[in-house]
């Protein structure tokens, strides 16, 4: 891959993308710690979800749907905001 294809793939220069990822990771980490969520806790939650699906069948599927909707409450508005801001840059 040439430098321009790497830049195009990453959406910017590797250094700038790295700095953005570090800053966003820091922000998300602060929020997760504030919410008292840890990597181990998230892992345990996923493990419990899988066990629940196996044990309860469709009740687990409903739980996955609840997780998707809960996550979408955060992800979709951020995605819309990013698209709007990106449109302002290009327009």
């Amino acid at each position: 891959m040439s430098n321009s294809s790497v830049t195009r793939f990453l959406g910017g220069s590797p250094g700038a993308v790295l700095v953005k990822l570090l800053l966003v990771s820091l922000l998300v980490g602060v929020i997760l710690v504030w919410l008292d969520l840890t990597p181990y806790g998230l892992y345990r939650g996923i493990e419990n979800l899988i066990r629940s699906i196996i044990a309860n069948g469709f009740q687990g599927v409903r739980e996955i749907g609840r997780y998707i909707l809960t996550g979408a409450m955060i992800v979709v508005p951020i995605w819309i905001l990013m698209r709007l801001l990106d449109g302002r840059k290009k327009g």
Side-chain angles (χ1 to χ4, degrees):
M1 245 190 227
S2 70
N3 192 25
S4 63
S5 61
V6 170
T7 301
R8 188 172 44 246
F9 174 75
L10 293 176
S13 70
V17 171
L18 179 63
V19 169
K20 287 179 189 177
L21 288 174
L22 287 172
L23 291 174
V24 171
S25 295
L26 175 64
L27 178 64
V28 170
V30 167
I31 292 169
L32 291 176
V33 168
W34 182 66
L35 295 172
D36 199 27
L37 296 173
T38 63
Y40 180 73
L42 293 173
Y43 169 78
R44 294 295 295 174
I46 292 170
E47 181 182 13
N48 290 337
L49 174 64
I50 292 170
R51 289 178 192 266
S52 172
I53 291 170
I54 292 169
N56 299 320
F58 285 110
Q59 183 178 351
V61 173
R62 258 180 295 198
E63 196 168 334
I64 289 174
R66 186 179 61 130
Y67 288 163
I68 290 172
L69 289 175
T70 302
M73 289 172 51
I74 294 172
V75 171
V76 171
I78 290 173
W79 176 77
I80 290 170
L81 182 64
M82 289 175 61
R83 299 307 303 160
L84 289 173
L85 293 175
D86 190 41
R88 286 180 54 198
K89 288 181 187 176
K90 292 180 182 178

